[in-house]
Amino acid sequence: DTAVSQTPKYLVTQMGNDKSIKCEQNLGHDTMYWYKQDSKKFLKIMFSYNNKELIINETVPNRFSPKSPDKAHLNLHINSLELGDSAVYFCASSQWGDEKLFFGSGTQLSVL
Amino acid sequence: GIQVEQSPPDLILQEGANSTLRCNFSDSVNNLQWFHQNPWGQLINLFYIPSGTKQNGRLSATTVATERYSLLYISSSQTTDSGVYFCAVEDGQNFVFGPGTRLSVLP
């Protein structure tokens, strides 16, 4: 069983479209995250979500919105996609105050 | 927020060689982890090591929290060790990643 799974693995879309990436974890963790990895491999936090508290990185455009239907899911919605949104997006989870961070396999988003 | 640096940025090794990767951080931390991103893009957690030393096979890690650095040792490197190695430290309610060390192990 995959601990943190995200879909789709690849997403190719036109500028201006709206898209979503789904993430699910079966580890029973209480905190989930979205990270963006750019072409130079830098990993930057976008959001963390813990017990219904959302922590937003202030540099993230408001076109990006996380939605958590329950503790095991944290989806990422992106409105009005731009060329600069092209990147790999990783979902991750952890048990707050505990040890390890676990990542999904990533979603490569290409905006044309 | 906390700053994380890693060195060297790039490293090329012959199979069988040993290497040391370094992570420096700007403030005290309660959680530090090392990750390997393989050539297929998967991020694998190698160590949770806020202080002390741990070993897992050919890999070991040491964190000296009082001096704000951590080291990752790779011994008898193999081509499957290639990829990017990241350290990440806890900063409030998220993890801050260093820029990574890109390792290439040649056969």
Side-chain angles (χ1 to χ4, degrees):
Chain A
D1 281 345
T2 305
V4 183
S5 60
Q6 54 182 108
T7 56
K9 186 161 179 62
Y10 300 98
L11 187 53
V12 181
T13 188
Q14 298 287 330
M15 228 169 35
N17 284 351
D18 303 336
K19 290 293 179 186
S20 295
I21 306 172
K22 295 185 177 181
C23 179
E24 175 182 3
Q25 55 94 5
N26 63 7
L27 298 167
H29 288 164
D30 62 3
T31 305
M32 297 184 72
Y33 312 81
W34 279 104
Y35 281 85
K36 178 180 179 180
Q37 186 172 45
D38 63 22
S39 58
K40 295 184 178 179
K41 300 288 190 182
F42 291 123
L43 277 157
K44 289 190 177 176
I45 183 72
M46 300 178 72
F47 306 100
S48 65
Y49 198 86
N50 170 264
N51 289 330
K52 300 190 188 301
E53 182 185 7
L54 178 64
I55 308 297
I56 301 173
N57 183 329
E58 60 188 17
T59 67
V60 175
N62 58 15
R63 299 181 294 103
F64 291 78
S65 57
K67 297 203 190 308
S68 179
D70 54 57
K71 206 169 76 165
H73 296 83
L74 183 66
N75 303 324
L76 182 65
H77 297 268
I78 316 169
N79 295 325
S80 302
L81 278 155
E82 300 178 357
L83 294 176
D85 297 333
S86 296
V88 181
Y89 293 85
F90 285 95
C91 175
S93 74
S94 71
Q95 182 65 23
W96 192 251
D98 206 339
E99 300 182 352
K100 291 186 173 183
L101 185 64
F102 293 86
F103 278 89
S105 57
T107 295
Q108 185 162 338
L109 172 65
S110 300
V111 182
L112 307 178
Chain B
I2 197 165
Q3 304 297 314
V4 183
E5 299 175 346
Q6 289 185 244
S7 60
D10 295 280
L11 187 57
I12 300 175
L13 298 175
Q14 233 20 77
E15 202 168 23
N18 303 329
S19 62
T20 301
L21 282 57
R22 187 177 178 105
C23 172
N24 292 330
F25 42 96
S26 61
D27 206 346
S28 59
V29 297
N30 295 318
N31 188 328
L32 184 146
Q33 303 184 35
W34 282 97
F35 293 85
H36 175 219
Q37 187 168 33
N38 64 25
W40 297 271
Q42 285 185 296
L43 280 157
I44 308 298
N45 196 307
L46 298 175
F47 292 103
Y48 160 76
I49 186 158
S51 63
T53 297
K54 287 187 178 179
Q55 179 146 11
N56 184 0
R58 297 180 296 103
L59 273 63
S60 65
T62 295
T63 297
V64 183
T66 53
E67 298 188 22
R68 300 179 186 169
Y69 73 87
S70 183
L71 302 174
L72 178 69
Y73 305 96
I74 305 174
S75 63
S76 304
S77 58
Q78 300 176 358
T79 55
T80 52
D81 295 331
S82 295
V84 184
Y85 290 80
F86 295 99
C87 70
V89 301
E90 182 187 333
D91 181 20
Q93 296 194 348
N94 73 80
F95 289 86
V96 176
F97 281 73
T101 292
R102 186 184 297 270
L103 175 64
S104 300
V105 181
L106 306 178

